[in-house]
């Protein structure tokens, strides 16, 4: 049974990475795979839920409150079902991933994830170099998928359509996947059991993954990956030579950013004459206002773009907006944290904060990983508890590491009625 579940999970990862929009009878095939995997996990090892109490409580609370606030706001039934299914899918990814780490260990999952991500990163680099074969390969993968993509995906594709997507549907999910691969590789770098030539191999792997992120032209992901890799490598190898190599590498990245046309880098707001940064400021002002106006939340699948005309026509805005600030009418707020508070209100941010605190669990490198993830998701619509299924696979490792921490903690010893710590 474990091998069957592992095979299904790998197949799910491949479809999530390369064929995200492949449908079977109107349902994403990846969703069918993860649902089947989750059923098998629940059937084979029911006791696993006892180790996932934190995750179960968090997701049940979000599902319950999301339903309540959606009903209060008279959200359409279809949107409510869609929102609940997204949460269920995220939970199943964590459930199945945890099962695999529990039965096979961390490294098989990490190696599998990196093995799936590497080809997409390499193809993305080739696309950035205008290698036609790399674009042709992506076009072939696209022909195997559903042409009638969702409005949510379409809105993001318009923003990133021309940026190298690797083998992913488009550039943004490519960076989600590659950032998760960075975390997995950083875990391997930190492993004391991996030294010598394996560290050289990991360094090459990280260079390919990071190059794929740079090729995607996503600045937030570049910064997040550079932040995580720098922190981990400086901690692991405190030699002056490595710092020198790192400085040269950083200088090369800075040079590439300075010599790249601003119109080709992340955060482009389509059809706006204003600068990208100004578009972001507009979106964040609008997003914060929406929260302040309805701090208890708007419910599932709240669309900030659809709401914008009503909001501004009725002069509900709290901040001032210039005549050229139009981003709110064109694209979503592009901030996963704001998306959380729009859906669940202030309760959403409280749950997210608690969840992140428990995920860090006192480990400095896990704080690095969480901060890096937030650096990227603060400029995009998906993130932790907000639909990023790739990062959910990383969360599996964090949860299992915490479980091992509790399991290996010294047990108290009772001596003459007094409780002492075990040696």
């Amino acid at each position: 049974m474990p091998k069957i579940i592992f095979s299904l999970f790998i197949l799910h990862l491949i479809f999530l990475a390369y064929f995200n929009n492949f449908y079977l009878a109107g349902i994403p095939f990846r969703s069918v795979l993860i649902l089947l995997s989750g059923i098998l996990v629940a059937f084979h090892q029911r006791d696993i839920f006892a180790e996932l109490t934190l995750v179960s409580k968090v997701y049940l609370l979000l599902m319950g409150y999301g339903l309540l606030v959606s009903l209060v706001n008279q959200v359409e039934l279809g949107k409510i079902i869609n929102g609940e299914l997204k949460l269920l899918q995220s939970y199943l990814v964590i459930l199945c991933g945890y099962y695999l780490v529990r039965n096979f260990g961390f490294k098989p999952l990490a190696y599998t994830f990196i093995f799936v991500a590497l080809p997409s990163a390499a193809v993305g680099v080739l696309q950035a170099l205008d290698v036609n074969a790399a674009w042709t390969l992506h076009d072939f993968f696209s022909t195997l998928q559903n042409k009638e993509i969702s409005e949510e995906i379409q809105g993001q594709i318009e923003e990133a359509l021309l940026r190298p997507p690797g083998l992913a549907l488009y550039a943004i999910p490519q960076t989600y996947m590659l950032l998760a691969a960075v975390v997995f590789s950083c875990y391997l770098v930190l492993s004391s059991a991996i030294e010598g030539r394996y560290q050289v191999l990991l360094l090459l792997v990280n260079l390919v993954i990071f190059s794929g992120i740079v090729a995607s032209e996503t600045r937030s992901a570049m910064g997040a990956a550079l932040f995580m890799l720098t922190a981990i490598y400086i901690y692991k190898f405190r030699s002056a030579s490595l710092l020198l190599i790192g400085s040269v590498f950083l200088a090369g990245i800075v040079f590439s950013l300075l010599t790249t046309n601003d119109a080709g880098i992340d955060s482009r707001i389509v059809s706006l004459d204003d600068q990208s940064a100004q578009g972001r400021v507009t979106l964040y002002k609008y997003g914060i206002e929406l929260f302040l106006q309805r701090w208890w939340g708007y419910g599932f699948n709240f669309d900030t773009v659809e709401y914008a005309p009503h909001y501004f026509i009725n002069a509900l805005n709290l901040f001032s907006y210039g005549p050229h600030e139009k981003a709110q009418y064109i694209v979503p707020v592009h901030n996963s944290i704001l998306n959380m508070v729009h859906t669940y209100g202030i309760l959403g941010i409280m749950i997210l904060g608690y969840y992140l605190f428990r995920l860090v669990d006192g480990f400095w490198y896990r704080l690095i990983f969480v901060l890096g993830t937030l650096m990227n998701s603060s400029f995009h619509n998906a993130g932790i508890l907000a639909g990023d299924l790739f990062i959910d696979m990383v969360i599996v490792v964090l949860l299992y590491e915490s479980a091992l921490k509790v399991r290996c903690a010294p047990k108290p010893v009772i001596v003459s009625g007094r409780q002492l710590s075990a040696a």
Side-chain angles (χ1 to χ4, degrees), residues 40-78:
L40 293 178
V41 168
F43 175 77
H44 186 241
Q45 290 184 353
R46 294 182 182 178
D47 62 322
I48 196 172
F49 292 99
E51 296 183 24
L52 290 174
T53 302
L54 168 66
V55 180
S56 299
K57 288 182 178 179
V58 165
Y59 277 82
L60 282 174
L61 186 56
L62 290 178
M63 294 176 78
Y65 184 75
L67 173 62
L68 176 62
V69 74
S70 295
L71 293 175
V72 169
N73 288 292
Q74 298 181 335
V75 175
E76 298 175 8
L77 179 60

mmCIF file of all heavy atoms in Angstrom, residues 40-78:
data_model
loop_
_atom_site.group_PDB
_atom_site.id
_atom_site.type_symbol
_atom_site.label_atom_id
_atom_site.label_comp_id
_atom_site.label_asym_id
_atom_site.label_seq_id
_atom_site.Cartn_x
_atom_site.Cartn_y
_atom_site.Cartn_z
ATOM 1 N N LEU A 40 -6.837 6.344 0.400
ATOM 2 C CA LEU A 40 -5.979 5.195 0.708
ATOM 3 C C LEU A 40 -5.198 5.408 1.993
ATOM 4 O O LEU A 40 -5.012 4.478 2.790
ATOM 5 C CB LEU A 40 -5.023 4.934 -0.457
ATOM 6 C CG LEU A 40 -5.663 4.452 -1.766
ATOM 7 C CD1 LEU A 40 -4.609 4.284 -2.842
ATOM 8 C CD2 LEU A 40 -6.418 3.140 -1.542
ATOM 9 N N VAL A 41 -4.723 6.630 2.214
ATOM 10 C CA VAL A 41 -4.003 6.934 3.452
ATOM 11 C C VAL A 41 -4.912 6.746 4.658
ATOM 12 O O VAL A 41 -4.535 6.125 5.657
ATOM 13 C CB VAL A 41 -3.450 8.377 3.419
ATOM 14 C CG1 VAL A 41 -2.966 8.803 4.813
ATOM 15 C CG2 VAL A 41 -2.313 8.492 2.413
ATOM 16 N N ALA A 42 -6.130 7.299 4.591
ATOM 17 C CA ALA A 42 -7.078 7.179 5.698
ATOM 18 C C ALA A 42 -7.441 5.717 5.949
ATOM 19 O O ALA A 42 -7.654 5.305 7.100
ATOM 20 C CB ALA A 42 -8.331 7.989 5.393
ATOM 21 N N PHE A 43 -7.506 4.932 4.893
ATOM 22 C CA PHE A 43 -7.829 3.512 5.029
ATOM 23 C C PHE A 43 -6.663 2.721 5.621
ATOM 24 O O PHE A 43 -6.873 1.824 6.449
ATOM 25 C CB PHE A 43 -8.199 2.932 3.661
ATOM 26 C CG PHE A 43 -8.435 1.447 3.662
ATOM 27 C CD1 PHE A 43 -9.609 0.905 4.151
ATOM 28 C CD2 PHE A 43 -7.454 0.581 3.180
ATOM 29 C CE1 PHE A 43 -9.813 -0.469 4.171
ATOM 30 C CE2 PHE A 43 -7.648 -0.790 3.192
ATOM 31 C CZ PHE A 43 -8.834 -1.319 3.679
ATOM 32 N N HIS A 44 -5.442 3.057 5.245
ATOM 33 C CA HIS A 44 -4.276 2.266 5.639
ATOM 34 C C HIS A 44 -3.724 2.633 7.013
ATOM 35 O O HIS A 44 -3.331 1.756 7.782
ATOM 36 C CB HIS A 44 -3.164 2.418 4.590
ATOM 37 C CG HIS A 44 -1.980 1.531 4.831
ATOM 38 N ND1 HIS A 44 -0.708 2.018 5.051
ATOM 39 C CD2 HIS A 44 -1.885 0.179 4.882
ATOM 40 C CE1 HIS A 44 0.119 1.000 5.229
ATOM 41 N NE2 HIS A 44 -0.554 -0.119 5.131
ATOM 42 N N GLN A 45 -3.672 3.942 7.334
ATOM 43 C CA GLN A 45 -3.093 4.365 8.615
ATOM 44 C C GLN A 45 -3.964 5.466 9.232
ATOM 45 O O GLN A 45 -3.656 6.656 9.120
ATOM 46 C CB GLN A 45 -1.657 4.867 8.421
ATOM 47 C CG GLN A 45 -0.667 3.770 8.072
ATOM 48 C CD GLN A 45 0.758 4.280 7.977
ATOM 49 O OE1 GLN A 45 1.038 5.472 8.048
ATOM 50 N NE2 GLN A 45 1.701 3.360 7.814
ATOM 51 N N ARG A 46 -5.017 5.062 9.874
ATOM 52 C CA ARG A 46 -5.931 6.035 10.470
ATOM 53 C C ARG A 46 -5.280 6.813 11.604
ATOM 54 O O ARG A 46 -5.674 7.942 11.903
ATOM 55 C CB ARG A 46 -7.175 5.324 10.981
ATOM 56 C CG ARG A 46 -8.034 4.704 9.887
ATOM 57 C CD ARG A 46 -9.282 4.048 10.456
ATOM 58 N NE ARG A 46 -10.077 3.418 9.399
ATOM 59 C CZ ARG A 46 -11.191 2.748 9.619
ATOM 60 N NH1 ARG A 46 -11.645 2.617 10.870
ATOM 61 N NH2 ARG A 46 -11.857 2.219 8.609
ATOM 62 N N ASP A 47 -4.300 6.213 12.244
ATOM 63 C CA ASP A 47 -3.660 6.885 13.377
ATOM 64 C C ASP A 47 -2.848 8.102 12.959
ATOM 65 O O ASP A 47 -2.402 8.877 13.803
ATOM 66 C CB ASP A 47 -2.766 5.906 14.136
ATOM 67 C CG ASP A 47 -1.628 5.374 13.271
ATOM 68 O OD1 ASP A 47 -1.860 5.122 12.074
ATOM 69 O OD2 ASP A 47 -0.522 5.203 13.803
ATOM 70 N N ILE A 48 -2.670 8.285 11.654
ATOM 71 C CA ILE A 48 -1.880 9.420 11.182
ATOM 72 C C ILE A 48 -2.555 10.748 11.526
ATOM 73 O O ILE A 48 -1.887 11.769 11.713
ATOM 74 C CB ILE A 48 -1.641 9.312 9.657
ATOM 75 C CG1 ILE A 48 -0.518 10.257 9.225
ATOM 76 C CG2 ILE A 48 -2.912 9.615 8.869
ATOM 77 C CD1 ILE A 48 -0.100 10.072 7.779
ATOM 78 N N PHE A 49 -3.876 10.734 11.648
ATOM 79 C CA PHE A 49 -4.599 11.973 11.947
ATOM 80 C C PHE A 49 -4.246 12.503 13.334
ATOM 81 O O PHE A 49 -4.341 13.710 13.580
ATOM 82 C CB PHE A 49 -6.103 11.747 11.826
ATOM 83 C CG PHE A 49 -6.566 11.479 10.420
ATOM 84 C CD1 PHE A 49 -6.790 10.183 9.988
ATOM 85 C CD2 PHE A 49 -6.755 12.519 9.528
ATOM 86 C CE1 PHE A 49 -7.212 9.925 8.691
ATOM 87 C CE2 PHE A 49 -7.174 12.282 8.235
ATOM 88 C CZ PHE A 49 -7.402 10.974 7.806
ATOM 89 N N ALA A 50 -3.842 11.601 14.239
ATOM 90 C CA ALA A 50 -3.453 12.032 15.580
ATOM 91 C C ALA A 50 -2.193 12.890 15.542
ATOM 92 O O ALA A 50 -1.987 13.734 16.418
ATOM 93 C CB ALA A 50 -3.235 10.807 16.479
ATOM 94 N N GLU A 51 -1.343 12.681 14.534
ATOM 95 C CA GLU A 51 -0.118 13.462 14.402
ATOM 96 C C GLU A 51 -0.345 14.739 13.604
ATOM 97 O O GLU A 51 0.559 15.566 13.499
ATOM 98 C CB GLU A 51 0.969 12.614 13.737
ATOM 99 C CG GLU A 51 1.388 11.401 14.561
ATOM 100 C CD GLU A 51 2.518 10.619 13.908
ATOM 101 O OE1 GLU A 51 3.273 11.207 13.109
ATOM 102 O OE2 GLU A 51 2.644 9.418 14.186
ATOM 103 N N LEU A 52 -1.511 14.878 13.032
ATOM 104 C CA LEU A 52 -1.833 16.068 12.238
ATOM 105 C C LEU A 52 -2.947 16.890 12.885
ATOM 106 O O LEU A 52 -3.754 17.521 12.205
ATOM 107 C CB LEU A 52 -2.242 15.657 10.824
ATOM 108 C CG LEU A 52 -1.134 15.098 9.935
ATOM 109 C CD1 LEU A 52 -1.697 14.598 8.622
ATOM 110 C CD2 LEU A 52 -0.057 16.151 9.686
ATOM 111 N N THR A 53 -2.969 16.876 14.213
ATOM 112 C CA THR A 53 -4.020 17.596 14.935
ATOM 113 C C THR A 53 -4.008 19.089 14.616
ATOM 114 O O THR A 53 -5.057 19.708 14.401
ATOM 115 C CB THR A 53 -3.849 17.391 16.453
ATOM 116 O OG1 THR A 53 -3.888 15.995 16.747
ATOM 117 C CG2 THR A 53 -4.959 18.092 17.214
ATOM 118 N N LEU A 54 -2.808 19.685 14.584
ATOM 119 C CA LEU A 54 -2.693 21.114 14.290
ATOM 120 C C LEU A 54 -3.296 21.432 12.936
ATOM 121 O O LEU A 54 -4.130 22.351 12.806
ATOM 122 C CB LEU A 54 -1.219 21.535 14.307
ATOM 123 C CG LEU A 54 -0.909 22.930 13.740
ATOM 124 C CD1 LEU A 54 -1.538 24.009 14.611
ATOM 125 C CD2 LEU A 54 0.592 23.143 13.603
ATOM 126 N N VAL A 55 -2.907 20.685 11.909
ATOM 127 C CA VAL A 55 -3.391 20.939 10.555
ATOM 128 C C VAL A 55 -4.899 20.718 10.463
ATOM 129 O O VAL A 55 -5.626 21.517 9.854
ATOM 130 C CB VAL A 55 -2.656 20.034 9.545
ATOM 131 C CG1 VAL A 55 -3.139 20.294 8.129
ATOM 132 C CG2 VAL A 55 -1.156 20.262 9.635
ATOM 133 N N SER A 56 -5.366 19.641 11.080
ATOM 134 C CA SER A 56 -6.801 19.336 11.025
ATOM 135 C C SER A 56 -7.629 20.447 11.657
ATOM 136 O O SER A 56 -8.655 20.874 11.103
ATOM 137 C CB SER A 56 -7.076 18.010 11.731
ATOM 138 O OG SER A 56 -6.400 16.938 11.102
ATOM 139 N N LYS A 57 -7.190 20.948 12.801
ATOM 140 C CA LYS A 57 -7.929 22.016 13.480
ATOM 141 C C LYS A 57 -7.924 23.300 12.663
ATOM 142 O O LYS A 57 -8.954 23.983 12.544
ATOM 143 C CB LYS A 57 -7.329 22.260 14.871
ATOM 144 C CG LYS A 57 -7.612 21.151 15.880
ATOM 145 C CD LYS A 57 -7.018 21.486 17.239
ATOM 146 C CE LYS A 57 -7.347 20.406 18.259
ATOM 147 N NZ LYS A 57 -6.753 20.703 19.594
ATOM 148 N N VAL A 58 -6.772 23.645 12.101
ATOM 149 C CA VAL A 58 -6.659 24.873 11.316
ATOM 150 C C VAL A 58 -7.575 24.818 10.097
ATOM 151 O O VAL A 58 -8.326 25.762 9.815
ATOM 152 C CB VAL A 58 -5.195 25.105 10.888
ATOM 153 C CG1 VAL A 58 -5.114 26.161 9.778
ATOM 154 C CG2 VAL A 58 -4.357 25.553 12.078
ATOM 155 N N TYR A 59 -7.554 23.706 9.372
ATOM 156 C CA TYR A 59 -8.356 23.605 8.155
ATOM 157 C C TYR A 59 -9.846 23.493 8.463
ATOM 158 O O TYR A 59 -10.676 24.059 7.732
ATOM 159 C CB TYR A 59 -7.879 22.431 7.303
ATOM 160 C CG TYR A 59 -6.689 22.778 6.442
ATOM 161 C CD1 TYR A 59 -5.399 22.761 6.963
ATOM 162 C CD2 TYR A 59 -6.845 23.157 5.115
ATOM 163 C CE1 TYR A 59 -4.308 23.099 6.192
ATOM 164 C CE2 TYR A 59 -5.765 23.497 4.328
ATOM 165 C CZ TYR A 59 -4.497 23.467 4.869
ATOM 166 O OH TYR A 59 -3.409 23.810 4.095
ATOM 167 N N LEU A 60 -10.198 22.794 9.534
ATOM 168 C CA LEU A 60 -11.610 22.719 9.909
ATOM 169 C C LEU A 60 -12.144 24.085 10.311
ATOM 170 O O LEU A 60 -13.290 24.443 9.985
ATOM 171 C CB LEU A 60 -11.791 21.721 11.060
ATOM 172 C CG LEU A 60 -11.766 20.240 10.680
ATOM 173 C CD1 LEU A 60 -11.811 19.367 11.933
ATOM 174 C CD2 LEU A 60 -12.953 19.905 9.759
ATOM 175 N N LEU A 61 -11.319 24.854 11.017
ATOM 176 C CA LEU A 61 -11.732 26.195 11.429
ATOM 177 C C LEU A 61 -11.921 27.098 10.213
ATOM 178 O O LEU A 61 -12.909 27.844 10.118
ATOM 179 C CB LEU A 61 -10.688 26.797 12.372
ATOM 180 C CG LEU A 61 -11.021 28.142 13.010
ATOM 181 C CD1 LEU A 61 -12.331 28.070 13.772
ATOM 182 C CD2 LEU A 61 -9.900 28.589 13.949
ATOM 183 N N LEU A 62 -10.995 27.018 9.252
ATOM 184 C CA LEU A 62 -11.114 27.828 8.045
ATOM 185 C C LEU A 62 -12.331 27.419 7.217
ATOM 186 O O LEU A 62 -13.057 28.274 6.690
ATOM 187 C CB LEU A 62 -9.846 27.703 7.192
ATOM 188 C CG LEU A 62 -8.585 28.365 7.746
ATOM 189 C CD1 LEU A 62 -7.406 28.103 6.816
ATOM 190 C CD2 LEU A 62 -8.775 29.862 7.942
ATOM 191 N N MET A 63 -12.564 26.116 7.120
ATOM 192 C CA MET A 63 -13.712 25.634 6.349
ATOM 193 C C MET A 63 -15.025 26.049 7.002
ATOM 194 O O MET A 63 -15.967 26.482 6.330
ATOM 195 C CB MET A 63 -13.642 24.120 6.195
ATOM 196 C CG MET A 63 -12.475 23.637 5.350
ATOM 197 S SD MET A 63 -12.319 21.835 5.269
ATOM 198 C CE MET A 63 -13.602 21.452 4.076
ATOM 199 N N GLY A 64 -15.082 25.947 8.324
ATOM 200 C CA GLY A 64 -16.303 26.305 9.044
ATOM 201 C C GLY A 64 -16.583 27.793 9.018
ATOM 202 O O GLY A 64 -17.701 28.227 8.691
ATOM 203 N N TYR A 65 -15.575 28.592 9.333
ATOM 204 C CA TYR A 65 -15.785 30.041 9.352
ATOM 205 C C TYR A 65 -15.974 30.576 7.937
ATOM 206 O O TYR A 65 -16.775 31.502 7.714
ATOM 207 C CB TYR A 65 -14.606 30.756 10.022
ATOM 208 C CG TYR A 65 -14.834 32.243 10.135
ATOM 209 C CD1 TYR A 65 -15.712 32.752 11.092
ATOM 210 C CD2 TYR A 65 -14.201 33.131 9.277
ATOM 211 C CE1 TYR A 65 -15.951 34.116 11.189
ATOM 212 C CE2 TYR A 65 -14.428 34.504 9.367
ATOM 213 C CZ TYR A 65 -15.302 34.988 10.328
ATOM 214 O OH TYR A 65 -15.542 36.331 10.423
ATOM 215 N N GLY A 66 -15.229 29.983 6.981
ATOM 216 C CA GLY A 66 -15.403 30.404 5.588
ATOM 217 C C GLY A 66 -16.824 30.190 5.115
ATOM 218 O O GLY A 66 -17.399 31.033 4.410
ATOM 219 N N LEU A 67 -17.415 29.061 5.502
ATOM 220 C CA LEU A 67 -18.806 28.785 5.155
ATOM 221 C C LEU A 67 -19.737 29.799 5.806
ATOM 222 O O LEU A 67 -20.650 30.345 5.162
ATOM 223 C CB LEU A 67 -19.175 27.368 5.584
ATOM 224 C CG LEU A 67 -20.650 26.969 5.435
ATOM 225 C CD1 LEU A 67 -21.065 27.034 3.965
ATOM 226 C CD2 LEU A 67 -20.894 25.579 6.013
ATOM 227 N N LEU A 68 -19.518 30.076 7.089
ATOM 228 C CA LEU A 68 -20.375 31.008 7.822
ATOM 229 C C LEU A 68 -20.345 32.406 7.222
ATOM 230 O O LEU A 68 -21.395 33.007 6.947
ATOM 231 C CB LEU A 68 -19.939 31.053 9.293
ATOM 232 C CG LEU A 68 -20.690 32.056 10.190
ATOM 233 C CD1 LEU A 68 -22.169 31.701 10.259
ATOM 234 C CD2 LEU A 68 -20.072 32.088 11.583
ATOM 235 N N VAL A 69 -19.143 32.943 7.010
ATOM 236 C CA VAL A 69 -19.031 34.310 6.503
ATOM 237 C C VAL A 69 -19.515 34.391 5.059
ATOM 238 O O VAL A 69 -20.041 35.431 4.635
ATOM 239 C CB VAL A 69 -17.572 34.814 6.640
ATOM 240 C CG1 VAL A 69 -16.648 34.174 5.618
ATOM 241 C CG2 VAL A 69 -17.511 36.334 6.515
ATOM 242 N N SER A 70 -19.390 33.292 4.318
ATOM 243 C CA SER A 70 -19.900 33.275 2.941
ATOM 244 C C SER A 70 -21.425 33.334 2.925
ATOM 245 O O SER A 70 -22.031 34.043 2.111
ATOM 246 C CB SER A 70 -19.415 32.016 2.209
ATOM 247 O OG SER A 70 -18.008 32.017 2.064
ATOM 248 N N LEU A 71 -22.050 32.590 3.829
ATOM 249 C CA LEU A 71 -23.511 32.614 3.916
ATOM 250 C C LEU A 71 -24.013 33.988 4.352
ATOM 251 O O LEU A 71 -25.021 34.493 3.833
ATOM 252 C CB LEU A 71 -23.993 31.534 4.891
ATOM 253 C CG LEU A 71 -23.768 30.086 4.454
ATOM 254 C CD1 LEU A 71 -24.178 29.125 5.557
ATOM 255 C CD2 LEU A 71 -24.549 29.783 3.167
ATOM 256 N N VAL A 72 -23.302 34.606 5.287
ATOM 257 C CA VAL A 72 -23.682 35.938 5.753
ATOM 258 C C VAL A 72 -23.621 36.945 4.606
ATOM 259 O O VAL A 72 -24.473 37.833 4.488
ATOM 260 C CB VAL A 72 -22.774 36.383 6.917
ATOM 261 C CG1 VAL A 72 -22.987 37.867 7.235
ATOM 262 C CG2 VAL A 72 -23.042 35.534 8.154
ATOM 263 N N ASN A 73 -22.604 36.796 3.754
ATOM 264 C CA ASN A 73 -22.421 37.716 2.634
ATOM 265 C C ASN A 73 -23.144 37.261 1.366
ATOM 266 O O ASN A 73 -22.940 37.849 0.294
ATOM 267 C CB ASN A 73 -20.930 37.879 2.337
ATOM 268 C CG ASN A 73 -20.212 38.699 3.389
ATOM 269 O OD1 ASN A 73 -20.434 39.899 3.526
ATOM 270 N ND2 ASN A 73 -19.339 38.053 4.136
ATOM 271 N N GLN A 74 -23.961 36.214 1.490
ATOM 272 C CA GLN A 74 -24.777 35.713 0.381
ATOM 273 C C GLN A 74 -23.927 35.349 -0.854
ATOM 274 O O GLN A 74 -24.267 35.678 -1.992
ATOM 275 C CB GLN A 74 -25.844 36.743 -0.003
ATOM 276 C CG GLN A 74 -26.817 37.031 1.132
ATOM 277 C CD GLN A 74 -27.886 38.042 0.738
ATOM 278 O OE1 GLN A 74 -27.687 38.861 -0.158
ATOM 279 N NE2 GLN A 74 -29.036 37.973 1.401
ATOM 280 N N VAL A 75 -22.815 34.663 -0.594
ATOM 281 C CA VAL A 75 -21.951 34.201 -1.681
ATOM 282 C C VAL A 75 -22.644 33.056 -2.416
ATOM 283 O O VAL A 75 -23.343 32.240 -1.808
ATOM 284 C CB VAL A 75 -20.592 33.729 -1.113
ATOM 285 C CG1 VAL A 75 -19.711 33.136 -2.212
ATOM 286 C CG2 VAL A 75 -19.882 34.896 -0.434
ATOM 287 N N GLU A 76 -22.464 32.995 -3.719
ATOM 288 C CA GLU A 76 -23.076 31.942 -4.529
ATOM 289 C C GLU A 76 -22.610 30.561 -4.069
ATOM 290 O O GLU A 76 -21.467 30.381 -3.645
ATOM 291 C CB GLU A 76 -22.697 32.129 -6.003
ATOM 292 C CG GLU A 76 -23.196 33.427 -6.598
ATOM 293 C CD GLU A 76 -22.682 33.620 -8.019
ATOM 294 O OE1 GLU A 76 -22.079 32.667 -8.568
ATOM 295 O OE2 GLU A 76 -22.870 34.717 -8.570
ATOM 296 N N LEU A 77 -23.521 29.590 -4.178
ATOM 297 C CA LEU A 77 -23.227 28.231 -3.733
ATOM 298 C C LEU A 77 -22.005 27.649 -4.446
ATOM 299 O O LEU A 77 -21.170 26.994 -3.825
ATOM 300 C CB LEU A 77 -24.451 27.333 -3.959
ATOM 301 C CG LEU A 77 -24.284 25.859 -3.549
ATOM 302 C CD1 LEU A 77 -23.967 25.751 -2.060
ATOM 303 C CD2 LEU A 77 -25.542 25.073 -3.907
ATOM 304 N N GLY A 78 -21.900 27.898 -5.739
ATOM 305 C CA GLY A 78 -20.778 27.376 -6.504
ATOM 306 C C GLY A 78 -19.443 27.887 -5.991
ATOM 307 O O GLY A 78 -18.462 27.136 -5.929
#
